[in-house]
Amino acid sequence: MEIAGPQPLNMTEHELHRLDNYLNILNRDMAILAADPECPPELWDFFEEIAMLAVRLWNVGNEPFTHHGVELVQQLNGAVNQRYALLLRLAFF
């Protein structure tokens, strides 16, 4: 007989909440970029890549806990943070 209850996830609730806020910010910023006719296509493509990685991170983070899932979360988190830092340098400096 199995005990019913919530299973641990690949990300904690706090991390998922932070990621949800991050995705909302990305969504807002993408709307701003879409309205800017002078936005270079390379910047737009880079921004979409970051958004896709963040959504993948959200999906993997909400899956039931596995060691492979946690490793994948760490890799995706590193990729998103690295690309976002580069995006900020390209867009605003």
Side-chain angles (χ1 to χ4, degrees), residues 21-33 47 51:
N21 289 338
Y22 181 71
L23 285 168
N24 288 333
I25 291 168
L26 280 174
N27 188 32
R28 183 202 65 205
D29 292 348
M30 286 181 80
I32 292 169
L33 276 179
F47 210 94

Side-chain angles (χ1 to χ4, degrees), residues 72-85:
L72 190 55
V73 163
Q74 291 172 346
Q75 291 172 357
L76 286 168
N77 202 9
V80 167
N81 290 334
Q82 181 183 31
R83 285 172 175 80
Y84 194 71

Side-chain angles (χ1 to χ4, degrees), residues 48-59:
E48 286 182 328
E49 180 183 348
I50 293 170
M52 288 188 311
L53 284 169
V55 168
R56 177 73 176 129
L57 181 59
W58 173 262
N59 292 336

Side-chain angles (χ1 to χ4, degrees), residues 4-92:
Q7 291 183 328
L9 303 175
N10 288 325
M11 292 177 77
T12 65
E13 288 296 320
H14 175 71
E15 291 171 325
L16 288 169
H17 181 69
R18 262 189 22 230
L19 182 58
D20 184 49
N21 289 338
Y22 181 71
L23 285 168
N24 288 333
I25 291 168
L26 280 174
N27 188 32
R28 183 202 65 205
D29 292 348
M30 286 181 80
I32 292 169
L33 276 179
D36 184 4
E38 296 178 11
C39 177
E42 299 83 19
L43 186 63
W44 180 250
D45 293 341
F46 197 58
F47 210 94
E48 286 182 328
E49 180 183 348
I50 293 170
M52 288 188 311
L53 284 169
V55 168
R56 177 73 176 129
L57 181 59
W58 173 262
N59 292 336
V60 173
N62 274 303
E63 292 174 355
F65 176 82
T66 62
H67 290 291
H68 176 70
V70 171
E71 290 173 11
L72 190 55
V73 163
Q74 291 172 346
Q75 291 172 357
L76 286 168
N77 202 9
V80 167
N81 290 334
Q82 181 183 31
R83 285 172 175 80
Y84 194 71
L86 183 59
L87 175 70
L88 291 176
R89 280 188 298 220
L90 291 173
F92 300 111

